[in-house]
């Protein structure tokens, strides 16, 4: 099974549509499914679920816009640098 982190975002939706068009099984994983920022829970969940492949479309882009990444650097680093390292099992 292919897991897509951030499947509800712009890029994630494009991946979902592409996989659907190819008839490939996937699962979109939202932050409401698993807390991306809780490293131990996320790692345990991934070990339990055993995805064959992960497409990471999750990240912190800032709200209301990308300029927020400059003022919220911790969340930006956590979402765009730390998270990919966590899901790389």
């Amino acid at each position: 099974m292919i897991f897509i982190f951030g499947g509800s975002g712009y890029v994630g939706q494009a991946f979902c549509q592409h996989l659907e068009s190819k008839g490939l099984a996937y699962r979109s994983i939202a932050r409401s499914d698993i807390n991306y920022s809780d490293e131990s829970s996320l790692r345990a969940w991934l070990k339990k679920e055993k995805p064959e492949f992960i497409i990471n479309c999750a990240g912190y882009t800032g709200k209301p816009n990308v300029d927020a990444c400059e003022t919220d650097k911790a969340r930006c680093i956590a979402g765009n640098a730390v998270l990919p390292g966590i899901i790389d099992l």
Side-chain angles (χ1 to χ4, degrees), residues 20-89:
E20 284 177 24
S21 75
K22 299 294 183 185
L24 296 171
Y26 73 92
R27 183 172 165 195
S28 179
I29 310 300
R31 291 181 198 276
S32 59
D33 296 321
I34 183 71
N35 182 353
Y36 295 173
S37 63
D38 183 346
E39 182 176 348
S40 61
S41 293
L42 180 57
R43 285 185 183 274
W45 184 81
L46 286 168
K47 285 179 184 177
K48 181 183 135 228
E49 295 294 323
K50 295 181 174 63
E52 293 176 56
F53 196 78
I54 297 173
I55 299 173
N56 181 28
C57 299
Y60 182 71
T61 57
K63 288 188 181 181
N65 57 45
V66 74
D67 293 335
C69 291
E70 289 295 321
T71 57
D72 196 356
K73 290 180 182 174
R75 284 184 60 188
C76 182
I77 290 170
N80 300 323
V82 176
L83 177 62
I86 294 170
I87 62 176
D88 181 29
L89 294 177

